[in-house]
Amino acid sequence: MRGGGSELELGKSNLLPAENELELGLGLGLSLGSGAWRERGRILTAKDFPSVGSKRAADSSSHQGASPPRSSQVVGWPPVGSHRMNSLVNHQAVKAAKAEGEEVKQKNKDEPKDVSVHGSGFVKVNKDGVGIGRKVDMRAHSSYENLAQTLEEMFFGMTGATCGEKVRPLRLLDGSSEFVLTYEDKEGDWMLVGDVPWRMFITSVKRLRIMGTSEANGLAPRHQEEKDRQRNNLA
Amino acid sequence: MDLRLPSKVLEHIFSFVDSNEDRNSVSLVCKSWFETERLTRKRVFVRNCYAVTPAAVARRFPGMRSLTLKGKPHFADYNLVPDGWGGYAWPWIEAMAEKSPSLEELRLKRMVVTDECLEKIAASFKDFKVLVLTSCEGFSTDGLAAIAVACRNLTELELRECIVEDLGGDWLSYFPETLTSLVSLDFSCLDSEVKLSDLERLVSRSPNLKSLKLNRAVSLDALGSLLRLAPQLVELGTGSFSDKLDQEAVSKLAQVFTELKELKSLSGLWDVLPEYIPLLYSVCPGLTSLNLSYATVQMPDLVELLSRCSNLQKLWVMDLIEDKGLEAVASSCKELRELRVFPSGADVDETNVAMTEQGLVSVSEACPNLESVLYFCAQFTNAALATIAKTRPNLKCFRLCVIEPFAPDHKTHQPLDEGFKAIVESCKDLQRLSVSGLLTDKAFEYIGTHGKKLRMLSIAFAGDSDLMLHHLLSGCESLNKLEIRDCPFGDTALLENAAKLETMRSLWMSSCGVSFGACKLMSEKMPKLNVEVIDEHTPETRPDSSAVEKIYIYRTLAGPRLDMPEFVWTIHKNPEIGVSHLAIE
């Protein structure tokens, strides 16, 4: 019984193959020459990636992709705890706000005086037609895609009380569904989600609302949404 | 001759055995030692809450006064473990409330703690004294109020980097006027402002208060009045250090800091303005621990500050310190034992280029007691690693994070294999290692060969093949926790070294090439392990040859978890899915 500290060593059988029944297919012994490995089907390694120094990497964050991952696109990298990451994000948001003040198409032209994520990281989310709202922790998300995924699971996922079968994913962000994702910013204005850099977004979002596309017509247009719709139409 | 000692004598002898590692050994000697030890153990550590059931722990240690539990795997800190995975505190609290009502201390790390849990603690443990929650989530400030109002003998309430639903600062006002036993209070991770008058009254009636860590919302002005009430503080975490104060207020504050004669540890310092840093000079010589990792202080100011900290043993700082600042640390902080340098930017483009491998080399060369390092850096070299290894063979914990994945030695463009070889060869007592940068299988051959005392190893974006895993599992005798992400190995090494996993606490692998079939095979052959597949695909649609997203394997006496969400699969969920012949092309 080891309810306490688990420093006990059970045994030193570190080289014992578990059981004869373990089918390994390759019939490998313990002298594994690296040459033999390379000939078998292998997974892509760093050598398959173009010049490592390249920072203009493609958008794919899968390590099977053609380029090395940019560290900002990889989930959980660099390995910095979320509390610390939020602090960094705030710091960058201040810098970004200063640098991008003119380019951002926002009604609020002033730099937010206090960009720290004060108040709870949780914002309320309501979907039109659904009486009960949910709450989502903005600080636990790293991108719009991430957030959309969570919201789709929350409001349209298999855990819904009435849903028996799997529902088609919603595509809240690209305008291909009958719902759009909107948010209320610090000034009280309702905007379409996706216009501003993620880090700016999370410092200004107060509430989220999933509303019907027809209702959202009065909001600022989204160039990305147009591009995606065109891409989808070609698929 | 009967050498059995009477249990009273045994008890007395065991009362001198503090460390649980020793107590575990003691309990293996014979049945009577096991019995006496278990009846006398007061502090219980369960480092994986799913390794054993709460009931079993309560049964074995009836005299338990302090329980420490850890839940989620370490990589949960980096958002790699999906929400809802598990790590619930409730079953433990419920069980202890019933079977160990004399529990006084609860320390939880990476667990889901709800307001119900906190209310249950408040209601069930009459002599409750210590609550320390590290990286926990799931509760609100209402739960804190429940603890505050009911725990009449509370000495410690610490919330370290928790995610709390912050409904306001009222919770603090629930501490009754009769509570005078507080020794440590840490609410640094909360956002809302607490009422200053409540805080002041609490501090005034807590003569034993030694540690106070405020949240960001506590102003500089408020800090002054609080410190006046608690000059005996040993540990201080300030709030925001950025209000504009007039000259008089500043000099009053400076005065207050000189009164802090016992202060050994300082943290917080959010938004600290450069003009306020001199306020801290008076406490610097006494400091043994300084956490500037949330303070955006620039290098020149850091140099001024740190050159006064001759007794510093622990320093956490951001890479704003640059190589120059670390040179100042090297020349002034000869007692340094632990150094952590965090990135000031959220990704590689924003990394401070004026901090390189040279900074760490300077500190390693000059600080003889340096044994624990966490260092984020844009790039590194084998030569630097070799120097660090040569000058600091006493390293126990070495975590290097080269921020750019696959980054080679920036001078020679070689992998960092030789550098890490130097580290593991030289640092014979190394217990914890994190590697990064461009690494081939060779690096892991070296680690397997030399890292005999290594207990915890973290790896990302490294290696070429199954050999890397094979070297580690077959070579590292003391390996206890292994966590790997984005490495290109498959099933073979894992299956061949499966028995090793029963000697380890846990293995985490994500975005690697392990197949579903291998997971099923391991589940079937190794009943003492829980093999968790964390993947959004349902098992019915997942072919055996497909690689799974995340795997978490841990030894357990508790059998399968009963609280798994949909996206966590173990074989117990679908025992009817047979284990197919595993074919590796």
Side-chain angles (χ1 to χ4, degrees):
Chain A
M1 195 81 70
R2 293 194 312 278
S6 48
E7 263 59 60
L8 250 50
E9 293 281 1
L10 279 180
K12 300 266 169 83
S13 57
N14 38 6
L15 289 181
L16 205 60
E19 237 98 50
N20 287 339
E21 288 103 343
L22 276 181
E23 295 277 338
L24 297 179
L26 283 172
L28 292 168
L30 294 171
S31 50
L32 303 161
S34 51
W37 287 90
R38 296 241 184 272
E39 265 76 66
R40 317 288 176 178
R42 63 187 178 87
I43 295 177
L44 296 175
T45 70
K47 294 194 172 61
D48 297 295
F49 299 149
S51 60
V52 170
S54 158
K55 289 196 165 68
R56 295 292 131 225
D59 45 7
S60 165
S61 63
S62 154
H63 71 136
Q64 305 254 321
S67 314
R70 284 195 66 209
S71 62
S72 59
Q73 293 163 333
V74 179
V75 174
W77 191 266
V80 170
S82 30
H83 259 263
R84 202 170 291 285
M85 198 53 109
N86 294 334
S87 264
L88 291 183
V89 158
N90 287 339
H91 185 52
Q92 298 310 320
V94 174
K95 280 175 52 192
K98 289 186 180 138
E100 296 177 19
E102 282 79 60
E103 296 158 36
V104 169
K105 295 185 192 66
Q106 269 192 143
K107 292 185 188 175
N108 170 29
K109 291 285 185 261
D110 297 335
E111 271 174 36
K113 210 163 60 109
D114 170 15
V115 291
S116 55
V117 186
H118 270 202
S120 134
F122 287 89
V123 300
K124 286 203 182 136
V125 191
N126 285 87
K127 173 167 170 270
D128 285 3
V130 175
I132 299 181
R134 302 287 299 271
K135 270 184 158 184
V136 62
D137 184 1
M138 299 307 294
R139 297 185 292 196
H141 295 87
S142 52
S143 67
Y144 285 120
E145 283 66 39
N146 209 204
L147 176 65
Q149 213 176 354
T150 299
L151 293 178
E152 287 177 15
E153 273 163 29
M154 263 185 185
F155 287 96
F156 306 92
M158 276 156 56
T159 52
T162 51
C163 283
E165 71 290 343
K166 211 174 181 154
V167 179
R168 199 174 52 83
L170 238 218
R171 317 297 316 254
L172 272 173
L173 290 180
D174 67 1
S176 64
S177 82
E178 56 193 86
F179 291 97
V180 286
L181 185 58
T182 63
Y183 74 103
E184 185 185 8
D185 71 4
K186 278 187 165 161
E187 314 294 297
D189 299 315
W190 283 90
M191 328 273 288
L192 277 173
V193 165
D195 274 322
V196 306
W198 172 256
R199 288 160 190 161
M200 290 217 63
F201 170 68
I202 62 172
T203 60
S204 56
V205 60
K206 265 180 38 198
R207 269 198 297 167
L208 289 166
R209 184 174 154 205
I210 301 172
M211 63 168 75
T213 320
S214 45
E215 258 200 83
N217 276 339
L219 300 174
R222 267 195 330 217
H223 299 250
Q224 191 55 39
E225 173 194 289
E226 292 299 314
K227 275 193 228 152
D228 282 343
R229 195 178 288 133
Q230 284 166 24
R231 209 184 299 144
N232 279 337
N233 287 340
L234 293 172
Chain B
M1 184 160 70
D2 191 342
L3 292 169
R4 219 177 309 166
L5 293 168
S7 57
K8 279 284 171 239
V9 175
L10 275 181
E11 265 179 48
H12 182 71
I13 297 172
F14 292 172
S15 66
F16 295 102
V17 181
D18 267 340
S19 105
N20 273 10
E21 201 163 341
D22 291 339
R23 279 185 164 263
N24 287 344
S25 306
V26 157
S27 60
L28 288 177
V29 169
C30 65
K31 280 211 162 76
S32 80
W33 280 42
F34 177 89
E35 277 303 304
T36 310
E37 192 284 314
R38 78 177 186 86
L39 294 172
T40 56
R41 192 183 299 209
K42 297 261 181 305
R43 290 174 309 163
V44 176
F45 292 78
V46 180
R47 291 184 171 86
N48 175 1
C49 67
Y50 290 118
V52 68
T53 63
V57 173
R59 220 173 20 244
R60 180 174 170 189
F61 301 111
M64 172 170 41
R65 291 285 176 274
S66 156
L67 178 61
T68 303
L69 288 171
K70 291 189 186 180
K72 300 183 200 176
H74 172 237
F75 272 0
D77 287 353
Y78 316 130
N79 291 331
L80 287 178
V81 178
D83 274 344
W85 170 83
Y88 303 105
W90 176 257
W92 288 88
I93 294 171
E94 196 184 32
M96 297 313 147
E98 192 193 313
K99 305 199 166 84
S100 293
S102 312
L103 193 69
E104 295 175 4
E105 305 181 3
L106 199 52
R107 294 175 173 83
L108 306 177
K109 186 167 183 178
R110 286 191 210 102
M111 295 194 76
V112 177
V113 179
T114 58
D115 285 346
E116 286 73 38
C117 293
L118 297 175
E119 285 153 17
K120 185 85 169 159
I121 292 170
S124 315
F125 305 115
K126 292 302 159 214
D127 209 16
F128 199 70
K129 297 196 167 72
V130 171
L131 183 65
V132 177
L133 302 177
T134 306
S135 302
C136 293
E137 42 146 1
F139 59 101
S140 77
T141 43
D142 285 351
L144 298 178
I147 296 282
V149 79
C151 300
R152 288 166 303 156
N153 296 314
L154 198 68
T155 58
E156 290 177 36
L157 176 61
E158 293 179 20
L159 307 173
R160 302 177 186 170
E161 314 230 314
C162 293
I163 297 181
V164 184
E165 191 179 352
D166 198 327
L167 304 169
D170 291 338
W171 63 274
L172 191 81
S173 59
Y174 283 81
F175 283 112
E177 291 299 318
T178 48
L179 182 80
T180 56
S181 46
L182 214 54
V183 173
S184 169
L185 178 64
D186 178 352
F187 59 99
S188 52
C189 62
L190 299 182
D191 288 318
S192 290
E193 212 176 312
V194 298
K195 231 161 94 188
L196 180 60
S197 52
D198 288 336
L199 191 49
E200 283 175 338
R201 276 206 306 277
L202 180 62
V203 169
S204 328
R205 63 175 187 274
S206 305
N208 297 325
L209 192 68
K210 293 276 184 293
S211 173
L212 179 63
K213 295 188 181 161
L214 307 167
N215 69 354
R216 201 171 182 165
V218 176
S219 68
L220 199 48
D221 208 26
L223 177 67
S225 57
L226 288 166
L227 292 180
R228 240 165 257 126
L229 297 168
Q232 78 282 8
L233 283 180
V234 175
E235 294 182 351
L236 170 65
T238 72
S240 173
F241 224 86
S242 63
D243 312 334
K244 292 286 186 196
L245 299 177
D246 61 38
Q247 201 43 44
E248 201 196 323
V250 172
S251 46
K252 272 200 179 147
L253 195 54
Q255 179 60 31
V256 146
F257 269 95
T258 62
E259 306 290 331
L260 301 174
K261 306 278 188 224
E262 312 290 328
L263 199 70
K264 294 235 172 327
S265 163
L266 182 61
S267 58
L269 300 167
W270 283 290
D271 317 314
V272 58
L273 297 176
E275 56 260 38
Y276 290 150
I277 293 173
L279 288 172
L280 306 172
Y281 289 171
S282 55
V283 295
C284 286
L287 287 182
T288 55
S289 166
L290 181 54
N291 182 352
L292 296 166
S293 61
Y294 287 97
T296 48
V297 186
Q298 302 300 324
M299 185 271 291
D301 298 314
L302 282 171
V303 169
E304 279 299 316
L305 188 63
L306 292 167
S307 55
R308 292 170 159 80
C309 297
S310 51
N311 285 313
L312 207 59
Q313 293 175 16
K314 177 169 131 173
L315 174 63
W316 290 20
V317 72
M318 287 204 269
D319 62 11
L320 301 169
I321 193 170
E322 301 179 1
D323 288 345
K324 269 219 168 91
L326 287 173
E327 279 163 31
V329 170
S331 56
S332 310
C333 309
K334 296 295 189 194
E335 303 296 321
L336 200 66
R337 294 190 193 162
E338 177 179 328
L339 174 67
R340 294 195 190 189
V341 180
F342 295 95
S344 56
D347 68 37
V348 71
D349 286 343
E350 292 149 12
T351 306
N352 190 333
V353 291
M355 202 198 72
T356 71
E357 71 277 5
Q358 189 50 46
L360 184 55
V361 170
S362 316
V363 176
S364 301
E365 286 175 331
C367 300
N369 297 326
L370 187 70
E371 53 181 32
S372 174
V373 171
L374 169 63
Y375 200 75
F376 283 82
C377 192
Q379 48 196 13
F380 227 78
T381 64
N382 283 309
L385 284 167
T387 309
I388 293 165
K390 186 156 144 259
T391 53
R392 288 280 65 77
N394 52 322
L395 281 174
K396 293 220 171 60
C397 166
F398 186 71
R399 298 161 70 189
L400 174 66
C401 180
V402 176
I403 299 182
E404 175 95 39
F406 308 120
D409 178 323
H410 69 91
K411 290 199 174 127
T412 65
H413 305 292
Q414 292 300 303
L416 291 179
D417 298 345
E418 297 303 312
F420 281 105
K421 177 186 185 199
I423 294 279
V424 289
E425 259 184 336
S426 167
C427 306
K428 305 225 186 297
D429 289 324
L430 196 66
Q431 292 184 6
R432 185 167 177 184
L433 177 65
S434 300
V435 297
S436 54
L438 183 65
L439 295 167
T440 72
D441 288 343
K442 267 240 159 278
F444 301 98
E445 186 187 334
Y446 299 142
I447 295 173
T449 307
H450 299 285
K452 294 305 181 191
K453 296 258 177 76
L454 259 187
R455 301 175 59 82
M456 182 169 175
L457 184 53
S458 311
I459 305 170
F461 304 108
D464 306 311
S465 71
D466 273 63
L467 267 181
M468 78 174 272
L469 188 60
H470 177 73
H471 288 312
L472 295 175
L473 293 179
S474 58
C476 298
E477 286 161 10
S478 310
L479 197 59
N480 196 24
K481 273 170 38 170
L482 178 57
E483 47 188 22
I484 310 180
R485 62 167 295 179
D486 292 275
C487 292
F489 56 81
D491 301 333
T492 315
L494 186 62
L495 292 174
E496 195 159 285
N497 292 283
K500 171 76 174 171
L501 300 185
E502 281 183 359
T503 71
M504 291 167 55
R505 189 184 312 159
S506 65
L507 167 60
W508 168 278
M509 297 174 289
S510 54
S511 304
C512 300
V514 178
S515 73
F516 184 47
C519 294
K520 287 197 291 192
L521 191 56
M522 288 205 63
S523 302
E524 185 163 302
K525 298 297 175 191
M526 316 284 300
K528 291 202 213 138
L529 301 178
N530 267 356
V531 178
E532 292 189 8
V533 174
I534 301 167
D535 200 315
E536 55 167 2
H537 302 110
T538 57
E540 288 81 19
T541 59
R542 191 189 299 135
D544 277 5
S545 56
S546 64
V548 296
E549 282 174 17
K550 299 170 197 208
I551 306 168
Y552 185 46
I553 304 177
Y554 51 91
R555 66 182 171 196
T556 179
L557 295 168
R561 280 173 56 184
L562 302 172
D563 59 3
M564 286 182 280
E566 264 179 13
F567 55 81
V568 174
W569 177 91
T570 63
I571 197 155
H572 315 96
K573 274 192 174 179
N574 300 93
E576 74 278 1
I577 295 179
V579 176
S580 59
H581 243 44
L582 194 68
I584 302 176
E585 300 94 309

